[in-house]
């Protein structure tokens, strides 16, 4: 079993990390255009019972704390 | 006779008698206000058409680069002859739309396909993931209980593979164990035409029990797990690109039609404006001439 799968990553996470490293290692003239592909603005919210699912306050603040590191 | 009641009543009576404004003059102003606003609207729709034409050329170029992702994944499913499992009725539909409107019938087309399927019997096992606020708005009224996830911020920028990966991760971690699924999206056919189409989603179990899987070698459970995840992300990426291209071309057509309609309205309003103006001038002339004739 691959090390990354044991660490809890999916193949999608694994290939995205590899792609990020590749984009950062490009030469200066190709970097800017490649880095444009490195952003994602999609926001997914889970729904339950026809309304957005309510997350616990602690969970949301903990997640935002985690996202900064 | 008014003098009997004193000066107070007299002023009141004077205040009541007011000068009725000339009806044609008022409608002249109303027509010119309307004309100005329709001209502004035409300018806005024309500029929206130019903007979406530029975005469409970029989206078509991106789509050409993204086609191998989608077609490759679909080819694998076809060659291995993967079929949805008969024992697991749970299904997942992904509605590929966006957040922005004024683009013709792209969003309603996708939502209609899903709505029709959900109104048929046996819909309790189907859950929907709405990509884009438009499909969420259309489906949440009657089928809100079927929605398990909604994705925002689609349509403002061209979609990237990271967007598709975020969606794929959301599907994998949603906790909904589906047996098979479909991505409903708008397939781009040409600048003036697109049509609703679907891409199949399969789980690792269905792929493992596929009949012709032996056509592919060096496949073990780990590789299949990784490939299922990756093909989910690449199918979502392809559907996002196709949807974006169809949306921009449809918006271009819609704004072009709106500009044409606004142009027709401007022509008609200009004619009524000129006719009204001439009528006002004629009426003034008549008043002057009859006033002069009365003096004779």
């Amino acid at each position: 079993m691959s090390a990354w799968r044991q660490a809890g990553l999916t193949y999608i996470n694994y290939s995205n990390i590899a792609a990020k490293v590749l984009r950062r290692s490009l030469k200066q003239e190709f970097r800017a255009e490649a880095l444009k592909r490195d952003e994602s603005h999609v926001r997914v919210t889970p729904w339950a019972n026809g309304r957005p699912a309510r997350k616990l306050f602690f969970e949301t603040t903990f997640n935002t704390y985690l996202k900064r590191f | 006779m008014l003098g009997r009641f004193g000066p107070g009543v007299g002023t009141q009576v004077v205040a009541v008698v007011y000068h009725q404004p000339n009806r044609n003059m008022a409608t002249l102003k109303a027509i010119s206000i309307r004309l100005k606003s329709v001209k502004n609207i035409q300018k806005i729709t024309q500029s929206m058409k130019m903007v979406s034409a530029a975005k469409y050329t970029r989206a078509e170029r991106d789509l050409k680069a993204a086609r191998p992702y989608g077609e490759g994944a679909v080819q694998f499913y076809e060659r291995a002859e993967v079929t949805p499992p008969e024992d697991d009725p749970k299904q997942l539909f992904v509605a590929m739309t966006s957040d922005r409107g004024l683009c013709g019938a792209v969003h309603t087309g996708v939502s209609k396909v899903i709505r029709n399927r959900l109104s048929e019997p046996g819909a309790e096992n189907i859950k929907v993931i709405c990509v884009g606020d438009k499909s969420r708005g259309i489906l949440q009224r009657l089928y809100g209980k079927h929605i398990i996830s909604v994705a925002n911020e689609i349509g403002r920028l061209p979609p990237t593979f990271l967007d598709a990966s975020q969606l794929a991760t959301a599907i994998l971690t949603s906790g909904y164990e589906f047996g098979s699924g479909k991505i409903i999206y708008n397939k781009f056919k040409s600048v003036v035409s697109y049509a609703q189409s679907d891409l199949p989603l399969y789980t690792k179990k269905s792929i493992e029990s596929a009949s012709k899987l032996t056509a592919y070698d060096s496949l073990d459970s780990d590789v299949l797990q990784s490939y299922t995840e990756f093909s989910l992300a690449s199918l979502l990426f392809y559907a996002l690109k196709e949807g974006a291209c169809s949306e921009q071309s449809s918006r271009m057509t819609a704004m072009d039609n709106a500009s044409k309609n606004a142009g027709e309205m401007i022509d008609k309003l200009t004619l009524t404006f000129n006719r009204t103006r001439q009528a006002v001038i004629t009426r003034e002339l008549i008043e002057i001439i009859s006033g002069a004739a009365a003096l004779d």
Side-chain angles (χ1 to χ4, degrees), chain B residues 67-83 199-232 234-235:
Chain B
R67 260 189 231 282
Y69 285 90
E71 288 173 357
V74 170
Q75 277 287 308
F76 171 78
Y77 292 141
E78 280 175 13
R79 292 288 170 81
E81 288 185 10
V82 190
T83 52
L199 291 167
L201 297 176
Y202 297 111
T203 54
K204 188 171 113 160
K205 211 158 64 97
S206 333
I207 299 180
E208 274 172 352
S209 55
S211 50
K212 289 241 174 75
L213 194 61
T214 47
Y216 295 93
D217 56 350
S218 63
L219 284 182
D220 63 350
S221 185
D222 268 347
V223 171
L224 270 184
Q225 172 77 3
S226 302
Y227 184 72
T228 322
E229 293 163 356
F230 182 70
S231 101
L232 176 64
S234 50
L235 283 173

Side-chain angles (χ1 to χ4, degrees), chain A residues 1-2 4-5 10-13 15-16 36-50, chain B residues 136 140 144 147-154 157 160-163 165-166 168 170 222 225-226 229-230:
Chain A
M1 186 78 125
S2 326
W4 46 268
R5 178 110 19 219
T10 62
Y11 182 77
I12 300 171
N13 295 346
S15 75
N16 280 337
K36 266 186 245 163
R37 290 193 289 264
D38 207 10
E39 333 170 304
S40 173
H41 300 269
V42 178
R43 201 168 38 143
V44 187
T45 43
W47 269 42
N49 276 332
Chain B
R136 189 250 307 151
Q140 77 176 6
I147 301 179
I148 56 173
S149 241
V150 171
N152 284 79
E153 297 287 319
I154 311 267
L157 297 162
T160 60
F161 196 82
L162 277 180
D163 295 334
S165 340
Q166 253 183 291
D222 268 347
Q225 172 77 3
S226 302
E229 293 163 356
F230 182 70

Side-chain angles (χ1 to χ4, degrees), chain B residues 12 14 28 41 53 74 117 130 143 146 148 163 175 180 210 236 295:
Chain B
Q12 277 175 3
V14 164
L28 205 66
I41 288 179
V74 170
R117 181 63 193 85
C130 289
Y143 304 108
H146 294 263
I148 56 173
D163 295 334
S180 64
L236 285 166
L295 283 174

Side-chain angles (χ1 to χ4, degrees), chain B residues 30-48:
Chain B
I31 293 175
S32 65
I33 289 172
R34 211 153 172 225
L35 198 57
K36 199 168 75 142
S37 98
V38 177
K39 277 191 183 148
N40 283 339
I41 288 179
Q42 194 195 35
K43 283 203 196 100
I44 291 172
T45 51
Q46 264 171 352
S47 70
M48 280 186 78

Side-chain angles (χ1 to χ4, degrees), chain B residues 6 20 37 42 48 119 124 129 166 195 201 233 238 246 255 287:
Chain B
Q20 176 104 14
S37 98
Q42 194 195 35
M48 280 186 78
S119 62
E124 317 80 39
I129 291 191
Q166 253 183 291
L201 297 176
Y238 173 61
S246 315
M255 291 296 105
E287 285 174 7

